[in-house]
Amino acid sequence: MLWLLAGSGLAAAADPTVTTVTDQIVVDGRLDEAGWSMAVPVTDFRRYLPNAGGPPDGETEVRFLQDDAHLYIGITVRDLSYRPRARVSPREDINDDDQVGIYLDTYDDGRTGYIFYFNPLGIQQDIRYANGDWFVQWDTVYTSEGQVTDDGFTIEVAMPFRSIRYPAVGADAAPQTWRVMITRKLPHEGTKYAFPQLQRGHPRMFLQAAPLRNVQPARRGAGLWIQPVLAVRHQMTDEDEDGTLTWTGAEPLNETIRPGLDLRFGITPDIGAALTINPDFSQVEADVQIVNLNQRFAFFFPEQRPFFLDGVDAFADQMETLYTRSVVSPLYGAKVSGMEGPLSIGVLQSIDVSPAASVHETGTPGFSEDELENAWTSNSFARLRLDAFGSGYVGLTAADKRVLGEGTGFNDVLAGDISVPFNDVWTAEAAAGVSSSGNADTRLRGGQAQARLVRSPELGLGMRLSGAGISEGFRQEMGFLNLTGLSRGSGSLDYTFGSGRTTWAPGISGSFRQEQDGDQRLEARHEHDATVAGIHNINLGGAMRRWRQDGAAVPGWVIDASWRAQLSRLLTLSASSSHGVEIDFQELVPAQSTFARGGGSVRPTRGTRLDLDVVQQWFTPEGLSTAQATRMFSRFTWQFLRPLGMRLNQQTTIQSDAPRETQASALLIWLESPGREIYLGGTWGMNEEDGLTEQTLFVKATWLVQM
């Protein structure tokens, strides 16, 4: 009987527990306060990537403390047989370093969570996770410091309760139970270890988390966050194409000197509101140029603007109703997001003063370039999601975009989605929606339905089946929908073998797309994915294809390969290529297409990094000459200090029958924490015929105040 009691006590002690302290914790990476010795450490780590295995090199200990305002995390790694990789890098740029990751499920629901990674110097990377989606651009404010020791490293973290969301504290102020996973990455092995033992590729990752007990967070929410922003720009262009740059002037003044204000308020610990007034949503670095000589649809670019990333998980649905970069230049934006019990809510409203035309291949009435010239649009979006079916959900989404002033264009969307998990490997999902669009002369109505079934085990047989039907009149002007009037489907089978630090997964797949006008695309594919010795990622594949476009039938094929490896602490390389026959969407004839890409990164010193990326494409339609396109991109990063760094970028694009174009930029960055940032930089555009064609110098500063 005593043995049974002792055994149950040991089992209970295995759950991580937060220890409350009253003494001040100074975040310096040393873990020398008395409170750390009071906390029971987590020590039982086991490998889960590439395959399940034993403990990592050395000893790993992770402890949790708290006071009235913060959750503290203390990390100790000691007795290492190797020198850890720890660079002075820009925030988020730590994927090539040793890392410890903290995964927090503050709602204990297995669906959503916060992910924080730290390199041995305490440099941060943060991610929001919700229902299988990773929002890597999400940021929040917290403090972390690290120290590299003689035989390992220590990291100390202070996470303000106001920087994350969690259930409202009850009247009795009873402790909450969150859930936690902890990972440790060893890049020289290509391995990751975790507490508790994790299953690689689990479809609902946070269901594996262990209880984090005795959390006593603050009763109030995030409070008031005030973030003024000031951007000043000086732009010159070669308007007369005579080789002379001319200042574009200060009209409108708001484009030259642009003050703005962002406000965030925590209504409760789990519901927050955000407002932005006259925001400067321009990015401090331009998007990397994309080249495609056989491009049919518009390019998709990821979101990077802070206002849209706040509470981003509450706005995602299976039909991708909201593509926030469809809101180009808002006069203002307002949003409310959060959770109340099992119900998640996200509401957004904004006025766009420079809306972009529809990305749909055949356009949308009311949203052509001519109809949107000098027009504004109102953009409204709302989503409700109810947790159900264990770790599944049911969601409802509504969106409305309409042209203001003399314009009459409008687009309304109403959609619902559902996710139902089965045990630890199966997930079934479905979504359906309707839309109404038009202008004063034309009305379009349509619908869309889609479903998928996924089996994703750690090893063995994996499967994915999906299908969708979209009527010709369906539109999503707040989304990124470029083609309708079609049915499509796909299916794949793969089988994963694994041993030690090597995995191999051969697979077959097939897909079809049938458009209502008779256009069609069919593909059957076979490929092999492999991870070798943990550090080499290899893919080999080939496919047979067939197109029917505007009455022309074209058979085709492709073979492709890719490789990426982190070869040492100094060097990472990657390469990919493909060759085959595809349809030329302009001439509707077969075309030979060859694509090659290569690059990598070099870290010559602790604070410097050089990235290179070269893309080459050849495209030869039957009976025509070969067109070529080349894109060369380079970036040099020099992080002088943890908050202070510099980036130099250059990208050159060369296409057949077009002059060489080059864009260069220089950027000096001071970033104390997200929201406390200063950027000083310039961009220059040039081509080989006209020389320097544009120059922009700018300074942008923002300073977050939390009250």
Side-chain angles (χ1 to χ4, degrees):
M1 185 66 175
L2 291 175
W3 178 83
L4 290 175
L5 291 174
S8 63
L10 288 172
D15 291 339
T17 301
V18 180
T19 301
T20 301
V21 294
T22 55
D23 296 337
Q24 182 180 7
I25 301 294
V26 178
V27 180
D28 56 10
R30 299 185 187 278
L31 304 184
D32 51 4
E33 292 86 1
W36 290 116
S37 63
M38 299 165 53
V40 178
V42 175
T43 60
D44 186 17
F45 289 80
R46 291 290 184 269
R47 191 177 71 210
Y48 76 101
L49 286 178
N51 295 295
D57 186 290
E59 298 180 8
T60 308
E61 298 178 348
V62 179
R63 295 172 168 86
F64 297 92
L65 301 177
Q66 72 169 67
D67 58 21
D68 292 340
H70 299 84
L71 174 68
Y72 297 99
I73 305 164
I75 302 162
T76 302
V77 177
R78 65 167 69 91
D79 295 335
L80 297 183
S81 64
Y82 69 95
R83 183 160 61 98
R85 297 180 184 177
R87 270 69 70 103
V88 182
S89 304
R91 191 176 189 274
E92 306 278 354
D93 184 19
I94 61 173
N95 287 337
D96 292 341
D97 288 353
D98 278 65
Q99 289 179 14
V100 174
I102 307 295
Y103 298 60
L104 289 176
D105 176 1
T106 57
Y107 289 94
D108 190 16
D109 63 3
R111 299 174 179 84
T112 60
Y114 299 94
I115 302 171
F116 305 99
Y117 294 113
F118 308 94
N119 82 348
L121 300 178
I123 295 175
Q124 305 165 354
Q125 182 182 65
D126 39 21
I127 301 169
R128 189 75 167 103
Y129 175 91
N131 297 297
D133 294 322
W134 296 65
F135 302 97
V136 297
Q137 299 296 339
W138 175 85
D139 292 315
T140 195
V141 178
Y142 51 102
T143 304
S144 59
E145 294 290 343
Q147 302 271 343
V148 177
T149 63
D150 292 338
D151 64 345
F153 56 90
T154 59
I155 305 170
E156 196 169 22
V157 182
M159 178 66 61
F161 288 118
R162 65 170 53 193
S163 292
I164 56 180
R165 293 179 179 176
Y166 48 87
V169 179
D172 58 357
Q176 297 182 2
T177 296
W178 296 358
R179 298 187 76 85
V180 67
M181 297 181 291
I182 308 168
T183 64
R184 182 177 154 205
K185 179 179 180 180
L186 281 64
H188 70 285
E189 291 183 351
T191 56
K192 289 189 78 171
Y193 299 78
F195 168 86
Q197 179 72 59
L198 300 184
Q199 173 185 313
R200 182 176 67 90
H202 196 290
R204 293 169 300 283
M205 178 177 64
F206 273 91
L207 285 181
Q208 306 173 92
L212 178 62
R213 302 194 184 279
N214 197 40
V215 186
Q216 301 179 62
R219 294 180 63 91
R220 69 172 185 158
L224 179 63
W225 294 27
I226 303 174
Q227 187 175 344
V229 182
L230 178 64
V232 180
R233 184 182 69 176
H234 182 275
Q235 187 169 19
M236 303 180 72
T237 62
D238 185 7
E239 296 180 354
D240 299 327
E241 297 183 355
D242 59 357
T244 302
L245 295 181
T246 305
W247 181 40
T248 58
E251 295 294 335
L253 182 62
N254 189 49
E255 296 297 326
T256 302
I257 302 175
R258 190 181 183 99
L261 182 66
D262 287 354
L263 300 173
R264 279 182 277 175
F265 179 69
I267 301 172
T268 70
D270 48 5
I271 295 181
L275 174 69
T276 185
I277 303 171
N278 194 37
D280 173 44
F281 278 161
S282 61
Q283 295 169 220
V284 295
E285 289 183 301
D287 295 302
V288 176
Q289 295 181 13
I290 303 173
V291 294
N292 188 341
L293 294 174
N294 196 29
Q295 182 69 19
R296 181 181 178 186
F297 300 117
F299 290 120
F300 179 95
F301 291 102
E303 183 58 80
Q304 299 187 33
R305 300 171 292 182
F307 171 78
F308 287 115
L309 294 171
D310 178 58
V312 63
D313 52 290
F315 297 86
D317 67 344
Q318 294 179 36
M319 287 180 48
E320 299 179 340
T321 307
L322 179 63
Y323 171 56
T324 51
R325 288 190 66 160
S326 67
V327 183
V328 179
S329 182
L331 176 66
Y332 77 89
K335 66 196 304 185
V336 175
S337 61
M339 294 184 68
E340 188 65 42
L343 184 65
S344 169
I345 181 173
V347 178
L348 167 70
Q349 212 290 317
S350 68
I351 299 294
D352 191 352
V353 300
S354 300
S358 175
V359 300
H360 195 277
E361 187 176 48
T362 60
T364 301
F367 292 91
S368 67
E369 289 188 7
D370 291 340
E371 290 171 299
L372 292 181
E373 186 176 2
N374 301 319
W376 293 7
T377 59
S378 171
N379 304 270
S380 303
F381 177 92
R383 175 161 171 79
L384 297 174
R385 189 187 72 237
L386 180 66
D387 294 343
F389 313 115
S391 60
Y393 64 85
V394 177
L396 181 66
T397 303
D400 172 82
K401 183 170 185 174
R402 55 192 60 235
V403 182
L404 304 177
E406 297 181 0
T408 60
F410 70 92
N411 172 239
D412 296 318
V413 178
L414 181 65
D417 53 357
I418 184 172
S419 177
V420 182
F422 302 94
N423 58 57
D424 288 338
V425 296
W426 290 94
T427 303
E429 295 184 335
V434 294
S435 74
S436 178
S437 315
N439 56 17
D441 302 318
T442 306
R443 295 288 189 275
L444 292 178
R445 290 182 174 85
Q448 171 176 267
Q450 61 186 47
R452 68 172 182 169
L453 178 66
V454 179
R455 186 180 194 273
S456 51
E458 183 172 22
L459 295 172
L461 182 65
M463 182 185 73
R464 178 180 294 264
L465 296 174
S466 66
I470 313 176
S471 70
E472 192 171 3
F474 186 76
R475 296 290 189 275
Q476 282 179 322
E477 288 306 307
M478 287 189 69
F480 189 84
L481 184 65
N482 46 39
L483 184 65
T484 55
L486 58 88
S487 57
R488 64 187 178 208
S490 64
S492 65
L493 292 173
D494 60 74
Y495 198 96
T496 302
F497 303 87
S499 176
R501 294 190 289 138
T502 296
T503 63
W504 171 47
I508 57 173
S509 62
S511 65
F512 76 90
R513 185 181 70 206
Q514 178 72 47
E515 302 175 29
Q516 290 184 1
D517 60 4
D519 293 344
Q520 185 184 80
R521 182 183 186 273
L522 303 174
E523 178 179 288
R525 181 173 179 82
H526 175 56
E527 65 181 1
H528 296 261
D529 282 301
T531 298
V532 179
I535 60 174
H536 297 273
N537 301 111
I538 303 169
N539 176 274
L540 301 173
M544 300 299 295
R545 297 169 171 172
R546 182 177 179 84
W547 289 266
R548 182 182 295 121
Q549 187 76 24
D550 296 335
V554 175
W557 54 272
V558 67
I559 53 174
D560 48 52
S562 66
W563 166 77
R564 185 185 186 278
Q566 188 175 351
L567 299 176
S568 70
R569 67 174 54 246
L570 300 179
L571 182 63
T572 300
L573 294 178
S574 64
S576 61
S577 64
S578 67
H579 176 71
V581 173
E582 61 186 63
I583 187 173
D584 181 343
F585 288 109
Q586 300 296 320
E587 303 297 330
L588 301 180
V589 296
Q592 293 274 345
S593 178
T594 302
F595 174 91
R597 182 173 189 169
S601 63
V602 181
R603 292 181 177 268
T605 69
R606 193 167 181 241
T608 59
R609 173 173 174 163
L610 176 63
D611 293 280
L612 299 172
D613 185 54
V614 180
V615 175
Q616 179 71 49
Q617 185 179 12
W618 296 267
F619 192 72
T620 310
E622 188 177 80
L624 300 175
S625 59
T626 300
Q628 297 187 47
T630 305
R631 191 209 72 208
M632 295 172 287
F633 174 81
S634 63
R635 170 182 290 162
F636 177 69
T637 303
W638 190 353
Q639 200 70 20
F640 312 119
L641 304 168
R642 180 169 167 178
L644 180 64
M646 176 186 69
R647 286 203 291 268
L648 303 176
N649 291 355
Q650 177 177 309
Q651 51 185 351
T652 299
T653 304
I654 308 170
Q655 298 195 53
S656 302
D657 302 322
R660 179 197 305 257
E661 295 186 354
T662 299
Q663 184 181 59
S665 67
L667 187 64
L668 186 66
I669 305 166
W670 184 85
L671 193 158
E672 179 184 286
S673 64
R676 296 184 178 182
E677 312 162 37
I678 300 175
Y679 300 91
L680 175 64
T683 62
W684 296 266
M686 59 201 79
N687 64 55
E688 61 182 350
E689 291 185 355
D690 303 320
L692 189 64
T693 58
E694 61 179 342
Q695 172 184 278
T696 301
L697 305 177
F698 62 88
V699 59
K700 180 176 179 178
T702 176
W703 189 263
L704 174 64
V705 178
Q706 297 170 278
M707 302 175 64

